């Protein structure tokens, strides 16, 4: 009775498990979930027979079984060798082929060719561009086409490709919405991308899946998938009731903080994301892309200009340079 109760409690607890990763409403996440299932089944084709045969041999050839055939001098079987080596080799070839094809098909930098099975992306379809910045410890989402931005709130229309441009203000994080696609890292001074789409309205959990300090545990946001009318209404609300996000406001927002509430901004600096990516939000800081362009055009001149920019206005005496 105790064992039965324990099994029943375990079954009830497992019944509440979230299987969203394997039943995701996003097409990219769904294909990734199918890849997990296919890979697991292929590996189980070897693992299950090996476990079963191990238990069978241990039982059949136990010391107390007088009926088992005893062959102390047996050491080789060509048939068994072929089976032992050929079966895993075929599984590895199949698994490698499936993984190679899926890796290229589900490349996060590759624009979507479909929204869902039977729903191809046409040439006229324009993706929704969202610039993502991971901060300590919150998420900033910039909608350049709509001219708005949000903190810890991501909204997108159903059945429309989403093109994420992602970077980080400070340390590396990982952008992850299980219902949408696999996790993609965000890194300061670098841009990563993700193409995805959601196929079912609803609210889904998003978070950082890479530890980034004290406030990491609360670095969550809600991803809301809605229809086109709902998305347009949300944009209108953000424009009507949002605040201002200029460079000075961003520098304040970028300061470490935990459990940040949802914020909306109706007016944003046009080049803010570019400045964040190139590490030049503060006035007077040269952007990395400008610095690299100068280095590429004239290395000697750019180094000289940088050294002049870093020199103090008052030159030290000549004998100080000797030291």
């Amino acid at each position: 009775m105790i064992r039965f109760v324990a099994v029943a409690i375990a079954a009830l607890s497992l019944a509440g498990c979230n299987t969203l990763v394997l039943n995701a409403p996003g097409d990219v996440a769904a294909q990734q979930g199918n890849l997990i299932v296919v890979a697991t089944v292929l590996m189980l084709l070897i693992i299950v027979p090996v476990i079963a045969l191990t238990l069978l041999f241990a039982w059949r050839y136990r010391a107390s079984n007088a009926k088992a055939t005893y062959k102390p001098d047996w050491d080789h079987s060509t048939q068994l060798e072929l089976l032992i080596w050929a079966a895993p080799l075929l599984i590895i070839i199949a698994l490698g082929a499936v993984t190679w094809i899926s890796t290229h098909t589900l490349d996060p930098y590759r624009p979507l060719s479909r929204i869902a099975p039977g729903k191809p992306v046409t040439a006229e379809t324009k993706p929704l561009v969202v610039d993502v910045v991971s901060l300590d410890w919150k998420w900033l989402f910039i909608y350049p086409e709509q001219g708005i931005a949000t903190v810890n709130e991501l909204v997108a229309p159903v059945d429309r490709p989403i093109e994420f441009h992602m970077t980080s203000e400070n340390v590396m994080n990982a952008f992850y919405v299980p219902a949408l696609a696999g996790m993609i890292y965000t890194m300061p001074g670098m841009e990563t991308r993700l193409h995805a789409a959601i196929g079912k309205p609803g609210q889904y959990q998003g978070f950082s899946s890479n530890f980034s300090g004290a406030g990491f545990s609360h670095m969550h946001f809600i991803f809301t998938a809605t229809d086109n009318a709902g998305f347009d209404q949300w944009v209108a609300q953000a424009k009507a009731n949002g605040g201002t996000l200029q460079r000075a406001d961003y520098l304040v927002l970028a300061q470490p903080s935990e459990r940040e509430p949802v914020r909306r901004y109706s007016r944003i600096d046009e080049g803010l994301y570019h400045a964040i990516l190139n590490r030049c939000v503060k006035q007077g800081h040269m952007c990395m892309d400008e610095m690299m362009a100068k280095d590429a055009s004239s290395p000697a001149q750019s180094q000289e200009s940088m050294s002049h920019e870093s020199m103090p206005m008052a030159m030290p005496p000549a004998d100080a340079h000797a030291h």
Side-chain angles (χ1 to χ4, degrees):
M1 179 61 66
I2 295 177
R3 291 182 179 179
F4 176 78
V5 173
V7 171
I9 293 175
L12 288 175
S13 61
L14 290 175
C17 290
N18 189 349
T19 59
L20 181 63
V21 173
L22 299 180
N23 299 280
D27 185 59
V28 173
Q31 293 183 70
Q32 292 172 339
N34 293 336
L35 178 60
I36 294 174
V37 173
V38 171
T40 303
V41 170
L42 287 174
M43 290 184 287
L44 288 177
L45 291 177
I46 292 297
I47 295 173
V48 172
V50 168
I51 293 176
L53 290 174
T54 300
L55 297 175
L56 175 63
F57 291 167
W59 172 257
R60 181 170 181 177
Y61 296 103
R62 67 192 186 277
S64 60
N65 186 10
K67 296 181 180 179
T69 304
Y70 179 63
K71 294 182 179 180
D73 299 325
W74 182 89
D75 61 357
H76 179 73
S77 172
T78 303
Q79 291 81 2
L80 283 177
E81 289 288 343
L82 289 174
L83 178 63
I84 290 172
W85 290 104
L89 181 61
L90 293 175
I91 297 299
I92 291 173
I93 293 174
L95 185 60
V98 171
T99 304
W100 187 86
I101 294 173
S102 299
T103 298
H104 289 276
T105 303
L106 300 175
D107 182 358
Y109 284 74
R110 180 176 181 175
L112 298 182
S113 59
R114 72 179 200 184
I115 299 297
K119 293 183 178 180
V121 176
T122 61
E124 295 77 18
T125 303
K126 187 177 182 181
L128 173 68
V129 178
V130 181
D131 298 329
V132 182
V133 183
S134 59
L135 305 168
D136 288 339
W137 288 273
K138 47 196 169 285
W139 292 94
L140 173 63
F141 301 103
I142 301 174
Y143 293 76
E145 296 177 3
Q146 289 73 27
I148 63 172
T150 62
V151 173
N152 290 339
E153 183 184 34
L154 177 62
V155 180
V158 173
D159 290 341
R160 181 180 176 183
I162 311 171
E163 182 178 330
F164 294 100
H165 303 168
M166 293 179 281
T167 189
S168 177
E169 168 62 28
N170 193 356
V171 299
M172 183 170 68
N173 278 280
F175 175 84
Y176 187 31
V177 182
L180 192 63
M183 66 178 183
I184 301 294
Y185 286 100
T186 63
M187 293 163 281
M190 300 178 65
E191 182 182 82
T192 51
R193 295 198 175 189
L194 172 65
H195 291 81
I198 193 73
K200 182 180 179 181
Q203 289 190 331
Y204 307 98
Q205 187 72 20
F207 53 91
S208 173
S209 56
N210 187 80
F211 180 75
S212 58
F216 160 77
S217 300
H218 308 292
M219 198 171 171
H220 296 257
F221 63 91
I222 296 298
F223 169 50
T224 301
T226 182
D227 56 16
N228 290 326
F231 178 73
D232 294 338
Q233 182 180 1
W234 174 79
V235 172
Q237 291 176 353
K239 288 184 176 181
N241 303 317
T244 301
L245 185 62
Q246 301 299 322
R247 296 197 179 196
D249 304 309
Y250 173 80
L251 293 175
V252 175
L253 178 65
Q255 297 300 314
S257 60
E258 301 181 26
R259 300 177 183 270
E260 281 290 330
V262 172
R263 300 184 191 177
R264 296 175 182 174
Y265 301 94
S266 60
R267 295 174 296 278
I268 58 176
D269 189 294
E270 184 177 355
L272 180 59
Y273 177 75
H274 175 270
I276 298 171
L277 175 61
N278 289 279
R279 316 295 292 170
C280 56
V281 176
K282 292 183 179 180
Q283 295 294 333
H285 285 209
M286 179 180 291
C287 295
M288 291 196 313
D289 57 348
E290 297 177 4
M291 187 182 301
M292 289 186 290
K294 287 187 176 181
D295 289 340
S297 60
S298 179
Q301 182 179 357
S302 62
Q303 290 178 5
E304 182 180 356
S305 63
M306 290 174 61
S307 64
H308 288 169
E309 291 177 0
S310 62
M311 285 183 180
M313 294 300 294
M315 297 296 293
D319 58 350
H321 288 281
H323 296 288

